[in-house]
Coordinates of all heavy atoms in Angstrom, one line a residue:
V1 N 14.6 -18.9 20.1 CA 14.9 -20.1 19.6 C 14.4 -21.2 20.6 O 14.8 -21.1 21.7 CB 16.4 -20.3 19.3 CG1 16.8 -21.8 18.7 CG2 16.9 -19.3 18.2
S2 N 13.7 -22.2 20.1 CA 13.1 -23.2 21.0 C 13.5 -24.6 20.5 O 13.2 -24.9 19.2 CB 11.5 -23.1 21.1 OG 11.1 -24.2 21.8
G3 N 14.3 -25.2 21.2 CA 14.7 -26.7 20.7 C 15.7 -26.6 19.6 O 16.3 -25.6 19.3
D4 N 15.6 -27.6 18.8 CA 16.4 -27.7 17.7 C 15.9 -27.2 16.4 O 16.6 -27.1 15.3 CB 16.9 -29.3 17.4 CG 17.7 -29.8 18.6 OD1 18.4 -28.9 19.3 OD2 17.7 -31.0 18.6
N5 N 14.6 -26.8 16.5 CA 14.0 -26.5 15.1 C 13.0 -25.4 15.0 O 12.3 -25.3 14.1 CB 13.4 -27.8 14.5 CG 12.2 -28.4 15.2 OD1 12.0 -28.1 16.4 ND2 11.3 -29.1 14.6
M6 N 12.8 -24.8 16.1 CA 11.7 -23.7 16.2 C 12.3 -22.3 16.5 O 13.2 -22.2 17.2 CB 10.7 -24.0 17.3 CG 9.9 -25.3 17.1 SD 8.8 -25.3 15.6 CE 7.7 -24.2 16.0
V7 N 11.8 -21.3 15.7 CA 12.2 -20.0 15.9 C 10.9 -19.2 16.0 O 10.1 -19.3 15.1 CB 13.1 -19.5 14.9 CG1 13.4 -18.0 15.0 CG2 14.4 -20.2 14.7
I8 N 10.8 -18.3 17.0 CA 9.6 -17.5 17.1 C 10.1 -16.0 17.1 O 11.0 -15.6 17.8 CB 8.9 -17.8 18.5 CG1 8.4 -19.2 18.3 CG2 7.7 -16.8 18.6 CD1 8.6 -19.9 19.7
V9 N 9.4 -15.1 16.3 CA 9.9 -13.8 16.2 C 8.8 -12.8 16.4 O 7.7 -12.9 15.8 CB 10.4 -13.5 14.6 CG1 10.9 -12.0 14.6 CG2 11.5 -14.5 14.4
Q10 N 9.0 -11.8 17.4 CA 8.0 -10.7 17.6 C 8.6 -9.5 16.7 O 9.8 -9.2 16.7 CB 8.0 -10.3 18.9 CG 7.4 -11.2 20.0 CD 7.5 -10.9 21.4 OE1 8.7 -10.6 21.9 NE2 6.4 -10.7 22.1
L11 N 7.7 -9.0 15.9 CA 8.1 -7.9 15.0 C 6.9 -7.1 14.7 O 5.9 -7.3 15.1 CB 8.7 -8.6 13.7 CG 7.6 -9.3 12.8 CD1 8.1 -9.2 11.3 CD2 7.5 -10.8 13.2
A12 N 7.2 -6.1 13.9 CA 6.3 -5.2 13.4 C 6.4 -5.1 11.8 O 7.5 -5.1 11.3 CB 6.4 -3.7 13.9
L13 N 5.4 -5.1 11.2 CA 5.2 -4.9 9.7 C 5.0 -3.5 9.4 O 4.0 -2.9 10.0 CB 4.1 -5.7 9.0 CG 4.2 -7.2 9.3 CD1 3.0 -7.9 8.7 CD2 5.4 -7.8 8.7
Q14 N 5.9 -2.8 8.8 CA 5.9 -1.3 8.6 C 6.0 -0.9 7.2 O 6.9 -1.6 6.3 CB 7.0 -0.6 9.3 CG 6.9 -1.0 10.8 CD 8.2 -0.5 11.5 OE1 9.4 -0.5 11.0 NE2 8.0 -0.2 12.9
G15 N 5.2 0.0 6.6 CA 5.3 0.4 5.2 C 4.3 1.4 4.9 O 3.3 1.6 5.6
T16 N 4.4 2.1 3.7 CA 3.4 3.0 3.1 C 2.6 2.3 1.9 O 3.3 1.8 1.1 CB 4.2 4.2 2.7 OG1 5.0 4.7 3.7 CG2 3.2 5.3 2.3
H17 N 1.4 2.4 2.0 CA 0.5 1.7 1.0 C 0.5 2.5 -0.2 O -0.4 3.3 -0.4 CB -0.9 1.5 1.7 CG -1.8 0.7 0.7 ND1 -3.2 0.9 0.9 CD2 -1.6 -0.3 -0.1 CE1 -3.7 0.0 0.0 NE2 -2.8 -0.6 -0.5
L18 N 1.3 2.2 -1.2 CA 1.4 2.9 -2.4 C 1.0 2.1 -3.6 O 1.1 2.7 -4.7 CB 3.0 3.5 -2.6 CG 3.4 4.3 -1.5 CD1 4.9 4.7 -1.7 CD2 2.5 5.7 -1.4
G19 N 0.8 0.8 -3.4 CA 0.4 0.0 -4.7 C -0.8 -0.8 -4.2 O -1.2 -0.9 -3.1
P20 N -1.4 -1.5 -5.2 CA -2.5 -2.3 -4.9 C -2.2 -3.5 -3.9 O -1.1 -4.1 -4.2 CB -3.0 -2.8 -6.3 CG -1.8 -2.7 -7.2 CD -1.0 -1.6 -6.6
L21 N -3.1 -3.7 -3.0 CA -2.7 -4.7 -2.0 C -3.8 -5.8 -2.4 O -4.9 -5.8 -2.0 CB -3.1 -4.3 -0.6 CG -3.0 -5.4 0.4 CD1 -1.5 -6.1 0.5 CD2 -3.2 -4.7 1.8
V22 N -3.3 -7.0 -3.0 CA -4.2 -8.1 -3.4 C -4.4 -9.0 -2.1 O -3.4 -9.6 -1.5 CB -3.6 -8.9 -4.5 CG1 -4.5 -10.0 -4.9 CG2 -3.4 -7.9 -5.6
T23 N -5.7 -9.2 -1.6 CA -5.9 -10.0 -0.6 C -6.8 -11.2 -1.2 O -7.3 -11.2 -2.3 CB -6.7 -9.4 0.6 OG1 -8.0 -9.1 0.1 CG2 -6.0 -8.1 0.9
P24 N -7.0 -12.3 -0.4 CA -7.8 -13.4 -0.8 C -9.3 -13.0 -1.1 O -10.0 -13.7 -1.9 CB -7.8 -14.3 0.4 CG -6.6 -14.1 1.1 CD -6.4 -12.6 1.0
R25 N -9.8 -11.8 -0.6 CA -11.2 -11.5 -0.8 C -11.3 -10.3 -1.8 O -12.3 -10.1 -2.4 CB -11.8 -11.1 0.5 CG -11.8 -12.3 1.5 CD -12.9 -12.1 2.5 NE -12.8 -13.1 3.5 CZ -13.7 -14.0 3.4 NH1 -14.6 -14.2 2.6 NH2 -13.6 -15.1 4.4
A26 N -10.3 -9.3 -1.8 CA -10.5 -8.2 -2.7 C -9.0 -7.5 -2.8 O -8.1 -7.8 -2.1 CB -11.3 -7.1 -2.0
T27 N -9.0 -6.7 -3.8 CA -7.7 -5.9 -4.0 C -8.1 -4.4 -3.5 O -9.1 -3.8 -3.8 CB -7.4 -5.7 -5.5 OG1 -7.1 -7.0 -5.9 CG2 -6.2 -4.9 -5.7
I28 N -7.2 -4.1 -2.6 CA -7.4 -2.7 -1.9 C -6.5 -1.8 -2.6 O -5.2 -1.9 -2.7 CB -7.0 -2.8 -0.5 CG1 -7.9 -3.9 0.3 CG2 -7.1 -1.5 0.3 CD1 -7.4 -4.3 1.6
L29 N -7.0 -0.7 -3.1 CA -6.3 0.3 -4.0 C -5.4 1.1 -3.0 O -5.8 1.3 -1.8 CB -7.3 1.2 -4.7 CG -8.1 0.5 -5.8 CD1 -9.1 1.4 -6.5 CD2 -7.1 -0.1 -6.8
P30 N -4.3 1.6 -3.4 CA -3.5 2.5 -2.7 C -4.1 3.5 -1.9 O -4.9 4.3 -2.4 CB -2.5 3.0 -3.6 CG -2.5 2.2 -4.8 CD -3.9 1.7 -4.9
T31 N -3.8 3.6 -0.5 CA -4.4 4.7 0.3 C -3.4 5.9 0.5 O -3.7 6.9 1.1 CB -4.8 4.2 1.6 OG1 -3.8 3.6 2.3 CG2 -5.9 3.0 1.4
G32 N -2.1 5.4 0.4 CA -1.0 6.4 0.8 C -0.7 6.5 2.2 O 0.1 7.3 2.8
K33 N -1.5 5.6 3.0 CA -1.3 5.6 4.5 C -0.2 4.6 4.9 O 0.1 3.7 4.2 CB -2.6 5.3 5.2 CG -3.7 6.3 4.8 CD -5.0 6.0 5.6 CE -5.9 7.2 5.2 NZ -7.2 7.0 6.0
R34 N 0.3 5.0 6.1 CA 1.4 4.1 6.6 C 0.8 3.1 7.5 O -0.4 3.2 8.2 CB 2.4 4.8 7.5 CG 3.2 5.7 6.7 CD 4.8 5.8 7.0 NE 5.4 4.9 7.8 CZ 6.1 3.8 7.4 NH1 6.4 3.6 6.1 NH2 6.8 3.1 8.3
M35 N 1.4 1.8 7.5 CA 1.0 0.9 8.6 C 2.1 0.5 9.5 O 3.4 0.7 9.0 CB 0.5 -0.4 7.9 CG 1.6 -1.2 7.2 SD 1.2 -2.9 7.2 CE 2.4 -3.6 6.3
D36 N 1.8 0.2 10.7 CA 2.8 -0.3 11.6 C 2.1 -1.3 12.5 O 1.6 -0.8 13.5 CB 3.5 0.9 12.4 CG 4.5 0.6 13.4 OD1 4.8 -0.7 13.5 OD2 5.3 1.5 14.0

């Protein structure tokens, strides 16, 4: 927490790619692979 109005978080995004991933450029079909 910084000052009265800022919060900074270090984290990891984790999950298994089981559905279509819609991005601004393309849709990525499920790969079944994990991301971390």
Side-chain angles (χ1 to χ4, degrees):
V1 177
S2 177
D4 293 335
N5 67 337
M6 298 297 292
V7 177
I8 299 133
V9 184
Q10 291 175 302
L11 68 150
L13 302 175
Q14 302 168 333
T16 310
H17 186 210
L18 299 176
L21 175 58
V22 179
T23 74
R25 297 196 186 264
T27 297
I28 301 166
L29 297 178
T31 63
K33 296 182 179 181
R34 291 227 7 111
M35 73 153 172
D36 185 349

